Amino acid sequence: MKTHDLISQLSKDLKPVKTWGSPEILVAKFLAMGVIFGAGILLMAGMRADISGKLHQLDYQLGLGWWSFLLAMSLYLVFALAIPAYKISRTMILLFAVILISLILWHVHALMGLDSEFLQAGTSVAGIRCSVFTVITSLGGGALLTLKIRQGASGKIGISSLLVAAASLALGGVLISLNCGDDNGMHVALWHFLIPALTVLVVAMLFVRRGLRW
Amino acid sequence: MKATDATGLDRSKDEAELSKLMVQAQGGDSASYQKLLLRLSELLLKYLRHSLQRFRVSEDSAEDILQEVLLAIHQKRGTYDPQQFFLPWMYAIARYKVIDHLRRSKMARSMVMLNDELENIETLMSLESESTLDVDRLINQLSDKQKEVLQLVKLEGLSVAETSQKTGYSVSDVKVTVHRAIKNLQEKVKEAARENP
């Protein structure tokens, strides 16, 4: 086919499109969708029994806060990358790094000072329920996000896949914090964070990366 | 000729026209879209030939890549935000397709270097299309080192590594010099536009 024929064909088949808008608007839309998605999941799986008391504890607020910030920042960066030539400020990249490091440090902090009995209890295989919950909710959110990012045009597929993984994991992290009543630092670090993070990363590298090519 | 439009951006005449055509195309206006694609294909063909020549790849594939870029522009047209510049958006799509093509052609260069070199081509082409001035004349106003490096990169189409070998400057020095030279050129174009509005 010659270029002129292609141009005629594309012009002839043209349909109006809805524009993407700015990353900030997309983040707001996806966070709203995330709230609906999360509410549905929590209606089915249930909230932790002591939620009203926990919401007043600084440590719990911090954990929930880091996950929520990570979700918002990953969404912002992945949407910004999917818009060709969109300029991402260094401040945003720095903020994302600070949040990610803070989240990791928060999990490490939760492990500090735990005696061996608690550490042992945290590694109990019963915790696998929490990993399954986190991975399933992460993958659900991640699939929706991947479908949206596929419509965009990310020039950095590898980084976008990692950001999809971070956003998905953050969604799972928020939901498991609201669902699971076990506050043992080892349990949280291992079953809520480490295992789901590794699983989601592998899935992102194997499938999301491929799905985002255009 | 530049003017600040309703979006508050300081756009060249070409940039403003292309952006306007794209906005009309996003609304479903076929005639504007055809006009846009025809104008883009001229710009892109020049860019693609320049890029392929730079990477010592046969220019025969330029037409094929052009069609791939036009298709991508068609599929991704919803991501263009009228509040942003149009040409960088278009070149970012074209760059992705060129890198994809070079990767398939087993180009032995790092992605970072490919990206940097394509961005240099885009900036120079944008300067040429935005400015009614002779960019070559402006290059002559640069410092001797910047002029030497930019002429090797722009006119002779050498890569950063080849320029480094030919001049004896380190690779990072060449990169920084090209970056500074392009920045200076952009300043000079702005100055000239202010003096001759």
Side-chain angles (χ1 to χ4, degrees), chain A residues 1-4 6-7 10, chain B residues 36-49 52 59-74 90 93-94 97-98 101:
Chain A
M1 188 188 257
K2 289 198 170 163
T3 304
H4 273 72
L6 176 73
I7 290 174
L10 293 177
Chain B
L36 173 75
L37 292 182
L38 285 170
R39 285 187 60 182
L40 294 190
S41 55
E42 281 171 33
L43 267 176
L44 285 166
L45 203 56
K46 194 175 161 195
Y47 166 75
L48 293 170
R49 289 203 170 121
L52 294 175
E59 285 180 42
D60 299 345
S61 45
E63 192 80 19
D64 291 339
I65 308 175
L66 171 64
Q67 293 193 9
E68 278 184 43
V69 176
L70 291 176
L71 262 177
I73 285 175
H74 178 75
M90 177 199 77
I93 291 182
K97 289 293 172 187
V98 171
H101 176 81

Side-chain angles (χ1 to χ4, degrees), chain A:
Chain A
M1 188 188 257
K2 289 198 170 163
T3 304
H4 273 72
D5 298 333
L6 176 73
I7 290 174
S8 303
Q9 191 66 44
L10 293 177
S11 311
K12 210 173 81 183
D13 297 342
L14 185 72
K15 289 190 175 71
V17 284
K18 207 174 162 205
T19 52
W20 264 42
S22 67
E24 290 87 349
I25 291 171
L26 290 164
V27 171
K29 282 182 187 169
F30 259 72
L31 285 180
M33 277 171 65
V35 169
I36 297 166
F37 175 80
I41 297 281
L42 290 172
L43 269 177
M44 287 189 288
M47 294 274 265
R48 58 187 294 168
D50 57 350
I51 186 72
S52 50
K54 289 304 279 183
L55 284 172
H56 291 98
Q57 288 179 12
L58 180 67
D59 215 31
Y60 184 75
Q61 289 169 352
L62 271 177
L64 212 53
W66 292 131
W67 279 123
S68 308
F69 282 138
L70 182 69
L71 175 60
M73 283 308 300
S74 316
L75 284 175
Y76 173 82
L77 291 176
V78 79
F79 284 131
L81 277 179
I83 299 172
Y86 190 90
K87 294 266 179 265
I88 301 173
S89 73
R90 282 189 184 173
T91 315
M92 292 305 227
I93 298 169
L94 196 68
L95 199 57
F96 174 78
V98 167
I99 292 168
L100 192 62
I101 292 166
S102 303
L103 183 77
I104 294 168
L105 290 179
W106 181 80
H107 280 95
V108 173
H109 174 257
L111 285 175
M112 285 160 65
L114 283 184
D115 59 32
S116 56
E117 199 182 321
F118 263 95
L119 286 174
Q120 190 79 31
T123 57
S124 161
V125 189
I128 201 161
R129 185 208 78 91
C130 291
S131 284
V132 171
F133 177 94
T134 312
V135 168
I136 289 176
T137 50
S138 297
L139 294 184
L144 289 176
L145 184 58
T146 306
L147 285 176
K148 180 65 186 172
I149 301 298
R150 264 174 71 86
Q151 295 167 7
S154 174
K156 293 182 168 70
I157 305 285
I159 296 174
S160 292
S161 311
L162 289 176
L163 287 167
V164 168
S168 317
L169 186 69
L171 177 67
V174 169
L175 294 179
I176 193 65
S177 304
L178 295 169
N179 169 261
C180 172
D182 190 342
D183 289 326
N184 180 321
M186 187 65 187
H187 170 85
V188 173
L190 183 68
W191 301 105
H192 292 192
F193 181 62
L194 195 62
I195 293 176
L198 291 174
T199 314
V200 171
L201 271 177
V202 169
V203 172
M205 286 297 105
L206 286 179
F207 302 105
V208 178
R209 206 181 155 93
R210 204 172 297 165
L212 294 187
R213 287 206 187 113
W214 50 283

